[in-house]
Every structure is written in structure tokens, then in C-alpha cells.
Short mmCIF file of all heavy atoms in Angstrom, two decimals:
data_model
loop_
_atom_site.label_atom_id
_atom_site.label_comp_id
_atom_site.label_asym_id
_atom_site.label_seq_id
_atom_site.Cartn_x
_atom_site.Cartn_y
_atom_site.Cartn_z
N MET W 16 0.84 -1.13 0.03
CA MET W 16 0.02 -0.03 -0.01
C MET W 16 0.92 1.28 0.04
O MET W 16 1.95 1.30 0.65
CB MET W 16 -0.85 0.01 1.28
CG MET W 16 -2.27 -0.18 0.92
SD MET W 16 -3.51 -0.39 2.28
CE MET W 16 -2.71 0.13 3.71
N GLY W 17 0.45 2.20 -0.68
CA GLY W 17 1.19 3.50 -0.69
C GLY W 17 0.67 4.32 -1.81
O GLY W 17 0.18 3.88 -2.78
N THR W 18 0.73 5.60 -1.60
CA THR W 18 0.21 6.53 -2.57
C THR W 18 0.98 7.82 -2.75
O THR W 18 1.90 8.05 -1.82
CB THR W 18 -1.28 6.86 -2.23
OG1 THR W 18 -1.86 7.67 -3.38
CG2 THR W 18 -1.41 7.62 -0.94
N SER W 19 0.76 8.53 -3.79
CA SER W 19 1.44 9.86 -3.98
C SER W 19 0.56 11.08 -3.47
O SER W 19 0.85 12.17 -3.89
CB SER W 19 1.79 10.09 -5.40
OG SER W 19 0.69 10.00 -6.18
N LYS W 20 -0.45 10.78 -2.71
CA LYS W 20 -1.34 11.94 -2.24
C LYS W 20 -0.58 12.73 -1.20
O LYS W 20 0.30 12.22 -0.55
CB LYS W 20 -2.69 11.34 -1.63
CG LYS W 20 -3.48 10.42 -2.50
CD LYS W 20 -3.98 11.13 -3.74
CE LYS W 20 -4.72 10.18 -4.58
NZ LYS W 20 -4.78 10.40 -6.08
N PRO W 21 -0.96 13.91 -0.98
CA PRO W 21 -0.33 14.76 0.06
C PRO W 21 -0.45 14.22 1.39
O PRO W 21 -1.40 13.68 1.92
CB PRO W 21 -1.20 16.08 0.07
CG PRO W 21 -1.91 16.07 -1.37
CD PRO W 21 -2.08 14.67 -1.69
N ALA W 22 0.74 14.02 2.00
CA ALA W 22 0.91 13.34 3.26
C ALA W 22 0.11 13.82 4.39
O ALA W 22 -0.44 13.09 5.17
CB ALA W 22 2.49 13.32 3.71
N LYS W 23 0.04 15.09 4.46
CA LYS W 23 -0.82 15.72 5.65
C LYS W 23 -2.33 15.26 5.61
O LYS W 23 -2.99 15.28 6.65
CB LYS W 23 -0.71 17.24 5.71
CG LYS W 23 -1.56 17.93 4.63
CD LYS W 23 -1.51 19.40 4.96
CE LYS W 23 -2.63 20.06 4.18
NZ LYS W 23 -3.32 21.09 4.75
N ASP W 24 -2.86 14.94 4.43
CA ASP W 24 -4.21 14.52 4.38
C ASP W 24 -4.46 13.05 4.15
O ASP W 24 -5.56 12.59 3.92
CB ASP W 24 -4.95 15.26 3.16
CG ASP W 24 -4.96 16.78 3.48
OD1 ASP W 24 -5.15 17.15 4.65
OD2 ASP W 24 -4.68 17.49 2.44
N LEU W 25 -3.33 12.29 4.11
CA LEU W 25 -3.40 10.90 3.95
C LEU W 25 -3.25 10.16 5.37
O LEU W 25 -2.46 10.51 6.24
CB LEU W 25 -2.19 10.36 3.17
CG LEU W 25 -2.20 8.90 2.85
CD1 LEU W 25 -3.29 8.41 2.02
CD2 LEU W 25 -0.73 8.59 2.14
N ARG W 26 -4.15 9.18 5.61
CA ARG W 26 -4.23 8.51 6.83
C ARG W 26 -4.20 6.97 6.51
O ARG W 26 -4.75 6.55 5.65
CB ARG W 26 -5.42 8.87 7.63
CG ARG W 26 -5.67 10.33 7.95
CD ARG W 26 -4.81 10.73 9.09
NE ARG W 26 -4.98 12.05 9.44
CZ ARG W 26 -4.37 13.18 9.01
NH1 ARG W 26 -3.39 13.06 8.21
NH2 ARG W 26 -4.60 14.35 9.48
N ARG W 27 -3.53 6.30 7.44
CA ARG W 27 -3.61 4.85 7.46
C ARG W 27 -4.20 4.43 8.81
O ARG W 27 -3.69 4.73 9.84
CB ARG W 27 -2.22 4.22 7.21
CG ARG W 27 -1.79 4.37 5.89
CD ARG W 27 -0.40 3.65 5.64
NE ARG W 27 -0.06 3.85 4.28
CZ ARG W 27 0.73 4.92 3.81
NH1 ARG W 27 1.09 5.83 4.74
NH2 ARG W 27 1.05 5.08 2.64
N VAL W 28 -5.36 3.77 8.69
CA VAL W 28 -6.13 3.38 9.99
C VAL W 28 -6.08 1.79 10.13
O VAL W 28 -6.56 1.19 9.18
CB VAL W 28 -7.49 3.92 9.89
CG1 VAL W 28 -8.33 3.68 11.22
CG2 VAL W 28 -7.56 5.49 9.72
N THR W 29 -5.64 1.31 11.24
CA THR W 29 -5.63 -0.09 11.37
C THR W 29 -6.66 -0.49 12.35
O THR W 29 -6.77 0.02 13.51
CB THR W 29 -4.20 -0.54 11.89
OG1 THR W 29 -3.24 -0.13 10.90
CG2 THR W 29 -4.15 -2.05 12.05
N LEU W 30 -7.55 -1.39 11.97
CA LEU W 30 -8.69 -1.92 12.74
C LEU W 30 -8.78 -3.36 12.67
O LEU W 30 -7.79 -4.05 12.08
CB LEU W 30 -9.92 -1.27 12.16
CG LEU W 30 -10.06 0.28 12.21
CD1 LEU W 30 -11.20 0.75 11.38
CD2 LEU W 30 -10.20 0.77 13.68
N SER W 31 -9.82 -3.98 13.16
CA SER W 31 -9.94 -5.44 12.94
C SER W 31 -11.31 -5.86 12.62
O SER W 31 -12.27 -5.16 12.92
CB SER W 31 -9.41 -6.15 14.19
OG SER W 31 -10.43 -5.84 15.34
N VAL W 32 -11.43 -7.00 11.96
CA VAL W 32 -12.72 -7.75 11.67
C VAL W 32 -12.55 -9.06 12.36
O VAL W 32 -11.72 -9.95 11.96
CB VAL W 32 -12.88 -7.89 10.25
CG1 VAL W 32 -14.15 -8.78 10.00
CG2 VAL W 32 -13.12 -6.54 9.44
N GLY W 33 -13.30 -9.25 13.52
CA GLY W 33 -13.04 -10.48 14.27
C GLY W 33 -11.49 -10.48 14.74
O GLY W 33 -11.13 -9.47 15.35
N GLU W 34 -10.83 -11.51 14.48
CA GLU W 34 -9.41 -11.66 14.88
C GLU W 34 -8.45 -11.12 13.76
O GLU W 34 -7.31 -11.13 14.06
CB GLU W 34 -9.06 -13.10 15.23
CG GLU W 34 -9.89 -13.52 16.48
CD GLU W 34 -9.48 -14.93 16.85
OE1 GLU W 34 -8.49 -15.42 16.38
OE2 GLU W 34 -10.27 -15.47 17.72
N GLN W 35 -8.92 -10.78 12.65
CA GLN W 35 -8.07 -10.31 11.50
C GLN W 35 -7.88 -8.85 11.56
O GLN W 35 -8.86 -8.05 11.68
CB GLN W 35 -8.72 -10.79 10.18
CG GLN W 35 -8.80 -12.28 9.92
CD GLN W 35 -7.44 -12.82 9.75
OE1 GLN W 35 -6.54 -12.20 9.21
NE2 GLN W 35 -7.33 -14.04 10.22
N VAL W 36 -6.65 -8.45 11.45
CA VAL W 36 -6.37 -7.07 11.39
C VAL W 36 -6.12 -6.57 9.98
O VAL W 36 -5.66 -7.25 9.13
CB VAL W 36 -4.99 -6.81 12.18
CG1 VAL W 36 -4.52 -5.35 12.18
CG2 VAL W 36 -4.96 -7.25 13.60
N TYR W 37 -6.66 -5.33 9.76
CA TYR W 37 -6.70 -4.72 8.48
C TYR W 37 -6.36 -3.27 8.57
O TYR W 37 -6.55 -2.63 9.53
CB TYR W 37 -7.96 -4.90 7.58
CG TYR W 37 -9.05 -4.16 8.05
CD1 TYR W 37 -9.44 -2.94 7.53
CD2 TYR W 37 -9.88 -4.65 9.05
CE1 TYR W 37 -10.55 -2.22 7.96
CE2 TYR W 37 -11.02 -3.92 9.56
CZ TYR W 37 -11.36 -2.67 8.95
OH TYR W 37 -12.41 -2.00 9.36
N THR W 38 -5.71 -2.73 7.41
CA THR W 38 -5.42 -1.33 7.33
C THR W 38 -6.04 -0.61 6.16
O THR W 38 -6.02 -1.28 5.10
CB THR W 38 -3.81 -1.09 7.22
OG1 THR W 38 -3.27 -1.59 8.43
CG2 THR W 38 -3.56 0.41 7.14
N SER W 39 -6.82 0.38 6.39
CA SER W 39 -7.49 1.22 5.32
C SER W 39 -6.53 2.43 5.17
O SER W 39 -6.23 3.12 6.11
CB SER W 39 -8.81 1.63 5.75
OG SER W 39 -9.67 0.54 5.79
N GLU W 40 -6.32 2.76 3.87
CA GLU W 40 -5.61 3.98 3.48
C GLU W 40 -6.65 4.95 2.98
O GLU W 40 -7.38 4.74 2.05
CB GLU W 40 -4.55 3.65 2.46
CG GLU W 40 -3.68 4.76 2.13
CD GLU W 40 -2.57 4.43 1.22
OE1 GLU W 40 -2.79 4.31 -0.05
OE2 GLU W 40 -1.50 4.24 1.71
N ILE W 41 -6.85 6.07 3.70
CA ILE W 41 -7.82 7.04 3.28
C ILE W 41 -7.25 8.43 3.08
O ILE W 41 -6.17 8.68 3.60
CB ILE W 41 -8.92 7.14 4.44
CG1 ILE W 41 -8.37 7.62 5.73
CG2 ILE W 41 -9.66 5.79 4.59
CD1 ILE W 41 -9.40 7.81 6.86
N TRP W 42 -7.84 9.23 2.27
CA TRP W 42 -7.38 10.50 1.92
C TRP W 42 -8.46 11.50 2.08
O TRP W 42 -9.56 11.31 1.67
CB TRP W 42 -6.95 10.52 0.46
CG TRP W 42 -6.45 11.72 -0.11
CD1 TRP W 42 -5.62 12.68 0.51
CD2 TRP W 42 -6.62 12.35 -1.42
NE1 TRP W 42 -5.35 13.72 -0.24
CE2 TRP W 42 -5.92 13.51 -1.50
CE3 TRP W 42 -7.39 11.82 -2.53
CZ2 TRP W 42 -5.92 14.24 -2.69
CZ3 TRP W 42 -7.34 12.61 -3.66
CH2 TRP W 42 -6.59 13.89 -3.73
N ARG W 43 -8.22 12.58 2.88
CA ARG W 43 -9.04 13.66 3.12
C ARG W 43 -8.93 14.74 2.07
O ARG W 43 -7.83 15.39 2.02
CB ARG W 43 -8.84 14.21 4.48
CG ARG W 43 -9.83 15.34 4.85
CD ARG W 43 -9.55 15.81 6.23
NE ARG W 43 -10.20 17.11 6.35
CZ ARG W 43 -9.80 18.17 7.07
NH1 ARG W 43 -8.66 18.07 7.69
NH2 ARG W 43 -10.51 19.20 7.22
N ILE W 44 -9.89 14.89 1.16
CA ILE W 44 -9.87 15.95 0.17
C ILE W 44 -10.19 17.24 0.79
O ILE W 44 -9.66 18.30 0.62
CB ILE W 44 -10.80 15.55 -0.97
CG1 ILE W 44 -10.26 14.23 -1.71
CG2 ILE W 44 -10.87 16.67 -2.02
CD1 ILE W 44 -11.18 13.70 -2.71
N SER W 45 -11.31 17.21 1.62
CA SER W 45 -11.85 18.41 2.29
C SER W 45 -12.56 17.90 3.50
O SER W 45 -12.66 16.68 3.74
CB SER W 45 -12.82 19.29 1.44
OG SER W 45 -13.98 18.51 1.17
N GLU W 46 -13.22 18.81 4.24
CA GLU W 46 -13.92 18.50 5.44
C GLU W 46 -15.08 17.52 5.15
O GLU W 46 -15.37 16.60 5.93
CB GLU W 46 -14.57 19.70 6.07
CG GLU W 46 -15.05 19.49 7.47
CD GLU W 46 -14.00 19.21 8.51
OE1 GLU W 46 -12.90 19.61 8.41
OE2 GLU W 46 -14.37 18.45 9.47
N SER W 47 -15.65 17.55 3.99
CA SER W 47 -16.73 16.75 3.60
C SER W 47 -16.47 15.86 2.44
O SER W 47 -17.46 15.38 1.83
CB SER W 47 -17.96 17.57 3.47
OG SER W 47 -17.67 18.50 2.36
N ARG W 48 -15.25 15.55 2.12
CA ARG W 48 -14.90 14.67 1.05
C ARG W 48 -13.74 13.86 1.45
O ARG W 48 -12.58 14.28 1.74
CB ARG W 48 -14.59 15.45 -0.19
CG ARG W 48 -15.83 16.05 -0.84
CD ARG W 48 -15.58 16.64 -2.15
NE ARG W 48 -15.35 15.54 -3.12
CZ ARG W 48 -14.73 15.68 -4.25
NH1 ARG W 48 -14.40 16.92 -4.73
NH2 ARG W 48 -14.56 14.66 -5.02
N TRP W 49 -13.94 12.52 1.46
CA TRP W 49 -12.88 11.49 1.82
C TRP W 49 -12.91 10.38 0.77
O TRP W 49 -13.90 10.22 0.12
CB TRP W 49 -13.32 10.85 3.13
CG TRP W 49 -13.27 11.81 4.34
CD1 TRP W 49 -14.14 12.78 4.71
CD2 TRP W 49 -12.20 11.90 5.28
NE1 TRP W 49 -13.77 13.30 5.82
CE2 TRP W 49 -12.55 12.87 6.16
CE3 TRP W 49 -11.02 11.20 5.48
CZ2 TRP W 49 -11.75 13.29 7.37
CZ3 TRP W 49 -10.15 11.52 6.58
CH2 TRP W 49 -10.57 12.54 7.46
N VAL W 50 -11.86 9.83 0.62
CA VAL W 50 -11.59 8.81 -0.43
C VAL W 50 -10.87 7.53 0.27
O VAL W 50 -9.95 7.74 0.90
CB VAL W 50 -10.80 9.27 -1.59
CG1 VAL W 50 -10.57 8.15 -2.64
CG2 VAL W 50 -11.44 10.51 -2.24
N LEU W 51 -11.50 6.42 0.07
CA LEU W 51 -10.77 5.21 0.42
C LEU W 51 -9.97 4.77 -0.74
O LEU W 51 -10.42 4.49 -1.81
CB LEU W 51 -11.81 4.01 0.78
CG LEU W 51 -11.35 2.70 1.11
CD1 LEU W 51 -10.49 2.67 2.38
CD2 LEU W 51 -12.50 1.71 1.15
N LEU W 52 -8.64 4.67 -0.50
CA LEU W 52 -7.68 4.37 -1.50
C LEU W 52 -7.32 2.92 -1.57
O LEU W 52 -7.26 2.32 -2.64
CB LEU W 52 -6.48 5.19 -1.33
CG LEU W 52 -6.55 6.65 -1.27
CD1 LEU W 52 -5.31 7.39 -0.88
CD2 LEU W 52 -7.01 7.15 -2.67
N ALA W 53 -7.18 2.21 -0.45
CA ALA W 53 -6.68 0.83 -0.43
C ALA W 53 -7.08 0.13 0.88
O ALA W 53 -7.20 0.81 1.86
CB ALA W 53 -5.13 0.80 -0.60
N VAL W 54 -7.12 -1.12 0.82
CA VAL W 54 -7.41 -1.98 2.11
C VAL W 54 -6.44 -3.07 2.04
O VAL W 54 -6.38 -3.80 1.05
CB VAL W 54 -8.91 -2.38 2.15
CG1 VAL W 54 -9.09 -3.35 3.39
CG2 VAL W 54 -9.78 -1.28 2.22
N GLU W 55 -5.79 -3.41 3.11
CA GLU W 55 -4.93 -4.50 3.29
C GLU W 55 -5.37 -5.34 4.51
O GLU W 55 -5.23 -4.80 5.67
CB GLU W 55 -3.49 -4.21 3.38
CG GLU W 55 -2.60 -5.33 3.52
CD GLU W 55 -1.00 -4.90 3.77
OE1 GLU W 55 -0.83 -3.77 3.93
OE2 GLU W 55 -0.28 -5.87 3.78
N VAL W 56 -5.66 -6.59 4.28
CA VAL W 56 -5.89 -7.45 5.48
C VAL W 56 -4.55 -8.25 5.69
O VAL W 56 -4.11 -8.96 4.84
CB VAL W 56 -6.99 -8.54 5.17
CG1 VAL W 56 -7.16 -9.52 6.37
CG2 VAL W 56 -8.38 -7.80 4.89
N HIS W 57 -4.01 -7.94 6.84
CA HIS W 57 -2.60 -8.37 7.06
C HIS W 57 -2.50 -9.94 7.00
O HIS W 57 -3.15 -10.60 7.57
CB HIS W 57 -2.13 -7.94 8.46
CG HIS W 57 -2.27 -6.49 8.63
ND1 HIS W 57 -1.59 -5.77 9.74
CD2 HIS W 57 -2.84 -5.43 7.97
CE1 HIS W 57 -1.78 -4.50 9.58
NE2 HIS W 57 -2.66 -4.24 8.53
N GLY W 58 -1.59 -10.30 6.14
CA GLY W 58 -1.30 -11.72 5.92
C GLY W 58 -2.30 -12.48 5.07
O GLY W 58 -2.18 -13.69 4.86
N VAL W 59 -3.31 -11.80 4.54
CA VAL W 59 -4.33 -12.38 3.66
C VAL W 59 -4.39 -11.85 2.32
O VAL W 59 -4.27 -12.64 1.32
CB VAL W 59 -5.74 -12.30 4.41
CG1 VAL W 59 -6.85 -12.86 3.49
CG2 VAL W 59 -5.73 -12.87 5.74
N GLY W 60 -4.48 -10.59 2.08
CA GLY W 60 -4.58 -9.95 0.75
C GLY W 60 -4.85 -8.41 0.86
O GLY W 60 -5.09 -7.95 1.86
N ALA W 61 -4.90 -7.86 -0.30
CA ALA W 61 -5.23 -6.37 -0.36
C ALA W 61 -5.87 -5.94 -1.64
O ALA W 61 -5.80 -6.74 -2.62
CB ALA W 61 -3.77 -5.72 -0.26
N ARG W 62 -6.50 -4.83 -1.63
CA ARG W 62 -7.05 -4.22 -2.80
C ARG W 62 -6.64 -2.73 -2.77
O ARG W 62 -6.71 -2.09 -1.79
CB ARG W 62 -8.61 -4.31 -2.77
CG ARG W 62 -9.06 -5.77 -2.93
CD ARG W 62 -10.58 -5.73 -3.31
NE ARG W 62 -10.95 -7.04 -3.12
CZ ARG W 62 -12.23 -7.44 -3.01
NH1 ARG W 62 -13.14 -6.42 -2.86
NH2 ARG W 62 -12.61 -8.60 -2.93
N SER W 63 -6.17 -2.26 -3.91
CA SER W 63 -5.70 -0.84 -4.02
C SER W 63 -6.34 -0.29 -5.28
O SER W 63 -7.13 -0.93 -6.04
CB SER W 63 -4.15 -0.81 -4.14
OG SER W 63 -3.76 -1.57 -5.29
N GLY W 64 -6.15 1.01 -5.31
CA GLY W 64 -6.73 1.80 -6.38
C GLY W 64 -8.17 1.93 -6.40
O GLY W 64 -8.95 1.96 -7.30
N LEU W 65 -8.82 1.86 -5.17
CA LEU W 65 -10.22 1.86 -4.94
C LEU W 65 -10.98 3.15 -5.32
O LEU W 65 -11.94 3.10 -6.03
CB LEU W 65 -10.56 1.46 -3.53
CG LEU W 65 -10.05 0.09 -3.09
CD1 LEU W 65 -10.21 -0.11 -1.60
CD2 LEU W 65 -10.75 -1.00 -3.86
N GLY W 66 -10.54 4.21 -4.82
CA GLY W 66 -11.20 5.52 -5.18
C GLY W 66 -12.62 5.67 -4.66
O GLY W 66 -13.43 6.30 -5.31
N ILE W 67 -12.97 5.04 -3.60
CA ILE W 67 -14.33 5.08 -3.14
C ILE W 67 -14.47 6.44 -2.35
O ILE W 67 -13.89 6.65 -1.35
CB ILE W 67 -14.66 3.84 -2.17
CG1 ILE W 67 -14.56 2.58 -3.11
CG2 ILE W 67 -16.11 4.02 -1.59
CD1 ILE W 67 -14.71 1.36 -2.24
N LYS W 68 -15.39 7.28 -2.83
CA LYS W 68 -15.63 8.51 -2.13
C LYS W 68 -16.78 8.53 -1.26
O LYS W 68 -17.75 7.78 -1.40
CB LYS W 68 -15.83 9.54 -3.21
CG LYS W 68 -14.66 9.79 -4.20
CD LYS W 68 -14.97 10.83 -5.24
CE LYS W 68 -13.72 11.08 -6.04
NZ LYS W 68 -13.78 10.52 -7.34
N ALA W 69 -16.73 9.36 -0.14
CA ALA W 69 -17.76 9.45 0.85
C ALA W 69 -17.71 10.75 1.52
O ALA W 69 -16.64 11.40 1.46
CB ALA W 69 -17.69 8.35 1.90
N PRO W 70 -18.79 11.29 2.10
CA PRO W 70 -18.80 12.58 2.71
C PRO W 70 -18.16 12.59 4.15
O PRO W 70 -18.09 13.69 4.70
CB PRO W 70 -20.29 12.94 2.68
CG PRO W 70 -20.96 11.73 2.70
CD PRO W 70 -20.13 10.73 2.01
N SER W 71 -17.82 11.43 4.70
CA SER W 71 -17.34 11.49 6.04
C SER W 71 -16.22 10.33 6.22
O SER W 71 -16.17 9.35 5.53
CB SER W 71 -18.41 11.23 7.11
OG SER W 71 -18.85 9.90 7.07
N CYS W 72 -15.36 10.60 7.15
CA CYS W 72 -14.40 9.73 7.50
C CYS W 72 -14.95 8.31 7.93
O CYS W 72 -14.56 7.24 7.51
CB CYS W 72 -13.53 10.17 8.64
SG CYS W 72 -12.16 9.05 9.19
N LEU W 73 -15.97 8.36 8.71
CA LEU W 73 -16.65 7.17 9.19
C LEU W 73 -17.14 6.32 8.08
O LEU W 73 -16.98 5.21 7.87
CB LEU W 73 -17.85 7.52 10.10
CG LEU W 73 -18.65 6.33 10.54
CD1 LEU W 73 -17.86 5.35 11.34
CD2 LEU W 73 -19.81 6.88 11.37
N GLN W 74 -17.76 6.98 6.97
CA GLN W 74 -18.30 6.25 5.81
C GLN W 74 -17.17 5.62 4.98
O GLN W 74 -17.37 4.47 4.50
CB GLN W 74 -19.17 7.21 4.99
CG GLN W 74 -20.54 7.50 5.72
CD GLN W 74 -21.33 8.46 4.89
OE1 GLN W 74 -20.86 9.40 4.28
NE2 GLN W 74 -22.56 8.30 4.88
N VAL W 75 -16.08 6.24 4.84
CA VAL W 75 -14.95 5.53 4.14
C VAL W 75 -14.39 4.46 5.03
O VAL W 75 -14.06 3.30 4.48
CB VAL W 75 -13.84 6.43 3.57
CG1 VAL W 75 -14.35 7.39 2.54
CG2 VAL W 75 -13.08 7.13 4.69
N LEU W 76 -14.35 4.58 6.34
CA LEU W 76 -13.95 3.47 7.08
C LEU W 76 -14.92 2.31 7.18
O LEU W 76 -14.46 1.10 7.08
CB LEU W 76 -13.68 3.94 8.60
CG LEU W 76 -12.47 4.88 8.83
CD1 LEU W 76 -12.45 5.42 10.18
CD2 LEU W 76 -11.19 4.17 8.29
N GLU W 77 -16.19 2.57 7.09
CA GLU W 77 -17.20 1.50 6.97
C GLU W 77 -16.98 0.75 5.63
O GLU W 77 -17.10 -0.50 5.47
CB GLU W 77 -18.51 2.12 7.08
CG GLU W 77 -18.92 2.45 8.42
CD GLU W 77 -20.21 3.30 8.60
OE1 GLU W 77 -20.79 3.83 7.55
OE2 GLU W 77 -20.75 3.32 9.71
N ALA W 78 -16.74 1.45 4.59
CA ALA W 78 -16.48 0.84 3.22
C ALA W 78 -15.23 0.01 3.32
O ALA W 78 -15.15 -1.04 2.74
CB ALA W 78 -16.29 1.90 2.22
N GLY W 79 -14.19 0.47 4.03
CA GLY W 79 -13.03 -0.30 4.23
C GLY W 79 -13.31 -1.61 4.90
O GLY W 79 -12.75 -2.71 4.67
N GLU W 80 -14.24 -1.62 5.97
CA GLU W 80 -14.54 -2.88 6.63
C GLU W 80 -15.25 -3.73 5.78
O GLU W 80 -14.93 -5.02 5.86
CB GLU W 80 -15.36 -2.49 7.95
CG GLU W 80 -15.77 -3.73 8.66
CD GLU W 80 -16.53 -3.32 9.94
OE1 GLU W 80 -16.84 -2.13 10.18
OE2 GLU W 80 -16.84 -4.30 10.68
N ARG W 81 -16.05 -3.20 4.92
CA ARG W 81 -16.81 -4.18 3.91
C ARG W 81 -15.79 -4.81 2.97
O ARG W 81 -15.91 -6.07 2.83
CB ARG W 81 -17.82 -3.37 3.19
CG ARG W 81 -19.08 -2.99 3.87
CD ARG W 81 -20.17 -2.43 3.04
NE ARG W 81 -19.78 -1.22 2.42
CZ ARG W 81 -19.96 -0.03 2.93
NH1 ARG W 81 -20.48 0.20 4.13
NH2 ARG W 81 -19.64 1.08 2.17
N ILE W 82 -14.81 -4.07 2.40
CA ILE W 82 -13.85 -4.72 1.62
C ILE W 82 -12.90 -5.66 2.38
O ILE W 82 -12.64 -6.68 1.85
CB ILE W 82 -13.09 -3.55 0.99
CG1 ILE W 82 -14.11 -2.81 0.01
CG2 ILE W 82 -11.81 -4.08 0.18
CD1 ILE W 82 -13.49 -1.47 -0.66
N ALA W 83 -12.61 -5.36 3.61
CA ALA W 83 -11.78 -6.24 4.32
C ALA W 83 -12.53 -7.57 4.58
O ALA W 83 -11.99 -8.68 4.44
CB ALA W 83 -11.42 -5.69 5.76
N SER W 84 -13.86 -7.48 4.78
CA SER W 84 -14.68 -8.70 4.99
C SER W 84 -14.68 -9.54 3.57
O SER W 84 -14.62 -10.78 3.58
CB SER W 84 -16.04 -8.36 5.36
OG SER W 84 -16.14 -7.82 6.66
N GLU W 85 -14.80 -8.72 2.52
CA GLU W 85 -14.79 -9.42 1.25
C GLU W 85 -13.44 -10.13 0.99
O GLU W 85 -13.46 -11.35 0.41
CB GLU W 85 -15.05 -8.47 0.02
CG GLU W 85 -16.38 -7.83 0.03
CD GLU W 85 -16.59 -6.72 -0.96
OE1 GLU W 85 -15.62 -6.48 -1.77
OE2 GLU W 85 -17.62 -6.03 -0.95
N ILE W 86 -12.38 -9.47 1.30
CA ILE W 86 -11.05 -10.11 1.19
C ILE W 86 -10.94 -11.48 2.00
O ILE W 86 -10.42 -12.35 1.52
CB ILE W 86 -9.98 -9.13 1.64
CG1 ILE W 86 -9.91 -7.92 0.55
CG2 ILE W 86 -8.57 -9.82 1.58
CD1 ILE W 86 -9.01 -6.83 1.06
N LEU W 87 -11.43 -11.28 3.26
CA LEU W 87 -11.44 -12.46 4.03
C LEU W 87 -12.21 -13.60 3.56
O LEU W 87 -11.91 -14.76 3.71
CB LEU W 87 -11.90 -12.16 5.46
CG LEU W 87 -10.82 -11.22 6.31
CD1 LEU W 87 -11.49 -10.69 7.57
CD2 LEU W 87 -9.62 -12.16 6.66
N ASN W 88 -13.40 -13.31 2.92
CA ASN W 88 -14.25 -14.38 2.41
C ASN W 88 -13.84 -14.94 1.06
O ASN W 88 -14.17 -16.02 0.67
CB ASN W 88 -15.65 -13.83 2.29
CG ASN W 88 -16.28 -13.60 3.63
OD1 ASN W 88 -16.10 -14.39 4.59
ND2 ASN W 88 -17.06 -12.53 3.75
N LYS W 89 -12.97 -14.10 0.36
CA LYS W 89 -12.46 -14.51 -0.99
C LYS W 89 -11.16 -13.89 -1.21
O LYS W 89 -11.04 -13.04 -2.01
CB LYS W 89 -13.48 -14.01 -2.05
CG LYS W 89 -13.29 -14.72 -3.40
CD LYS W 89 -14.40 -14.19 -4.29
CE LYS W 89 -14.04 -14.79 -5.72
NZ LYS W 89 -15.18 -14.37 -6.67
N PRO W 90 -10.14 -14.41 -0.47
CA PRO W 90 -8.89 -13.92 -0.78
C PRO W 90 -8.31 -14.04 -2.11
O PRO W 90 -8.52 -15.08 -2.75
CB PRO W 90 -7.88 -14.71 0.31
CG PRO W 90 -8.84 -15.69 1.06
CD PRO W 90 -10.16 -15.63 0.36
N SER W 91 -7.84 -12.95 -2.71
CA SER W 91 -7.42 -12.95 -4.07
C SER W 91 -5.97 -12.24 -4.20
O SER W 91 -5.45 -12.12 -5.26
CB SER W 91 -8.34 -12.30 -4.96
OG SER W 91 -8.60 -10.92 -4.73
N GLY W 92 -5.41 -11.84 -3.08
CA GLY W 92 -4.15 -11.12 -3.13
C GLY W 92 -4.14 -9.69 -3.30
O GLY W 92 -4.87 -8.85 -3.41
#
């Protein structure tokens, strides 16, 4: 995971689904515009280049959790 977005607005948030730990890479465009860039489930798989937009940090993190669950149910790297 990694991006060329401005570092001050780029965040990597590590959470868990059950016992599996995952990291979501999110980018804050403005106060009301966030983008989910990538999700990595540690030791299982990852998806990048997502570009999922939402009006809040919470909503992009929820999208990250859904994608982490998808990766866990169907690992593809």
C-alpha cells in the first residue's frame, strides 16, 4: 500500500474484523470529502486503487470494513 497523495491529508487506519487485522488507507480531500484508496488484510490480501468517495471519515472506514470482509471471504491477493 502506498500513494502519492499529500501526506498531511493521507491516513492509514488499522482496525480489525473479528481476529483479523486490516489497514485502510484514506485521503481527506476536504472536510466533507474523503476517499478510500486501499485496504490490506494483514497476511491475507489487499485491494488498491479503490477511489471510493464518501462525505465522512466514518463512511470511508465502513467501506474499508466491507472490503476487508470481502477479502477475508474470498482472498485474491
